[in-house]
Amino acid sequence: MSTPYRATVSFALSCTRRCSTPLVLSRKIASRATAAYTDASLSGAQDPASSSTPPGLDYKQRNVLDRAIRVDQAGEIAANWIYKGQMVVLGKDLHVGPIIQDMWDQEKRHLIVMDKLQVQHHVQPTLLSGVAKVAGFGLGAVTAIMGKEAAMACTEAVETVIGEHYDDQLVALETLPQSHPSIPLLARVIRELRDDELEHLDTAVQHHSQRAPAHALLSAVVGGGCKIAIRLCKEI
Amino acid sequence: MATTSARLLQLAIPLVKTHGFTREALSRSVLSLPTPHAQPLPDAAITSLFGQGDNARKSLIDTWLEDAREQMKATQSTVVKDVLWARLQHNEPVLNYLPDAFAVLASSSTFLPLDPEPAITHAAKVANEACWIAYPTEKSWHTRRASIAAIYLASELHQLTSPSTTYQFLSSLIETSSAAETSLTEAQIFGSYVFKSWAGIVKSTGVFL
């Protein structure tokens, strides 16, 4: 993907986020959809939206649901380990250390939500979670060793692919029957995670990700690797 | 047609106890309809609904196995031993017919004379169901299921030859598996302590300063 095109995609995605900024703020003031899984007072066996899976899905629909949750969980595992790798190298940096830590804390929350979704919908997790951890840590550590800008470029590339991936998933989820409350809740959760990832993309761009050495090549390699990982985790 | 055959398969499940996994059980399923037929279905009708030869029997076996997995959800206990024991108890009324049923499944492949895939799939599905009941938030998802599947498969094979000692056999396998898991966990903890101590030694030499 050429640098001008990448810049256009990043700008367009960040516009999407900026257009939804009032929504983001109101969402932060109001309850987040993920609170159904992270807030102990809201989650529980009483709420079918967060405790049961829709019965009677046909094979194709079940496949869509399983793949969505499987790949999202794997993605959050990888994201956590990317930030872990970055923190090992840049954790003591007074400028980017706290920024990376903030983003990592958000990813930890995302993973908690994904783990609960996987149990709720009885989804088989990917066999490649171990690979996701090793690859994520390696990617985070190597880009952090290359420099702060490279670490931010890695975040930018990953979050660009993840943002597009979540958008595709929201379209796919529309094919599922909306009568069971867990499906609209899942869509809201994914929308929220997408917005969070786009915030990370913004943060990365604001912290000079595009000044990274060989930014176009780095972004292409990282973005391509993410797309391959998404495809593999859907199937395996 | 699919709805009719699915309905008849469900009605044939209680008949397996008396007629086995046979075309006759399928044929007599129409006698259990809300407005029952006067006569069992003829063999030609069974062929048109379920296929020729052993295909019909295979459909009945698959439906019975699926029903047995559904019944596992009704187990009161969430202890894996109790869940697996409940599943094994479900076999008891049809124990005499099960070896033949598994032979039908194993011989259904067009390429292999004896196909292990149905047995492995059967054990994996039972293990999956048992693990969702007993270990819903299990982190070692695949290894736990592989272990439970192996335990269940061994116990079921034991049940076919010696039904009276099945429970003791199942208990001993689960205890052995737990002991092995504990040993492995302790070995991992010990290994992490050794790693941390060496990391501390290397750090203290000042190599990374």
Side-chain angles (χ1 to χ4, degrees), chain B residues 61 70 78 131 189 198:
Chain B
I61 295 164
E70 282 298 313
T78 56
C131 287
I189 293 170
W198 276 105

Side-chain angles (χ1 to χ4, degrees), chain B residues 96-111:
Chain B
N96 291 336
Y97 304 116
L98 278 179
D100 188 42
F102 290 140
V104 165
L105 291 177
S107 58
S108 57
S109 168
T110 44
F111 302 109

Side-chain angles (χ1 to χ4, degrees), chain B residues 19-85:
Chain B
H19 296 86
F21 297 96
T22 58
R23 293 169 70 92
E24 191 189 348
L26 288 167
S27 166
R28 299 182 78 85
S29 63
V30 292
L31 304 178
S32 310
L33 282 169
T35 46
H37 286 207
Q39 300 287 334
L41 283 177
D43 201 61
I46 298 298
T47 301
S48 72
L49 283 170
F50 302 108
Q52 282 185 339
D54 281 343
N55 289 340
R57 297 181 66 195
K58 191 175 171 304
S59 299
L60 179 56
I61 295 164
D62 287 339
T63 305
W64 188 90
L65 290 173
E66 194 183 322
D67 180 68
R69 284 194 301 276
E70 282 298 313
Q71 299 290 327
M72 287 170 72
K73 293 176 187 168
T75 312
Q76 299 297 322
S77 171
T78 56
V79 175
V80 73
K81 185 167 75 171
D82 296 340
V83 175
L84 291 180
W85 175 235

